[in-house]
Amino acid sequence: WLPRQSAEVTVLDKVRAQATPLTVKIGASGTSGSLTITVRGCFVRPPDQPADAAAFLDIQDSRPTGAGFRGWMLAGSPSLNLMQHPIYDVRVVACR
């Protein structure tokens, strides 16, 4: 796996059916709705491997009852480790 400088994620508001693209640099945070998404690392596979990206995300919800998430998300297999949230769905799209 090769390190990259930023992660591209998509935040889907399931209530409004609205997707918001978000690009966040490693170590920085971005916001979408009540979520604050901090990217701790983002990696891609080498060129001789099947394409995929993995990002380590720390997601906090500013609402008192909001759920958070901390862990790896894979662009190629989003269902392996997804955030359980009643309003938002967060997916890694790519690492740049």
Side-chain angles (χ1 to χ4, degrees), residues 23-60:
T23 300
V24 183
K25 291 187 177 195
I26 305 301
S29 299
T31 59
S32 181
S34 64
L35 298 182
T36 300
I37 302 169
T38 304
V39 178
R40 303 290 181 197
C42 203
F43 300 86
V44 296
R45 283 190 174 162
D48 62 337
Q49 302 271 330
D52 201 1
F56 192 84
L57 304 177
D58 189 356
I59 304 172
Q60 301 297 320

Side-chain angles (χ1 to χ4, degrees), residues 47-85:
D48 62 337
Q49 302 271 330
D52 201 1
F56 192 84
L57 304 177
D58 189 356
I59 304 172
Q60 301 297 320
D61 192 339
S62 62
R63 298 175 315 128
T65 59
F69 175 87
R70 182 177 174 90
W72 289 98
M73 286 190 181
L74 296 169
S77 302
S79 63
L80 286 180
N81 197 18
L82 48 95
M83 181 179 82
Q84 301 291 326
H85 196 282

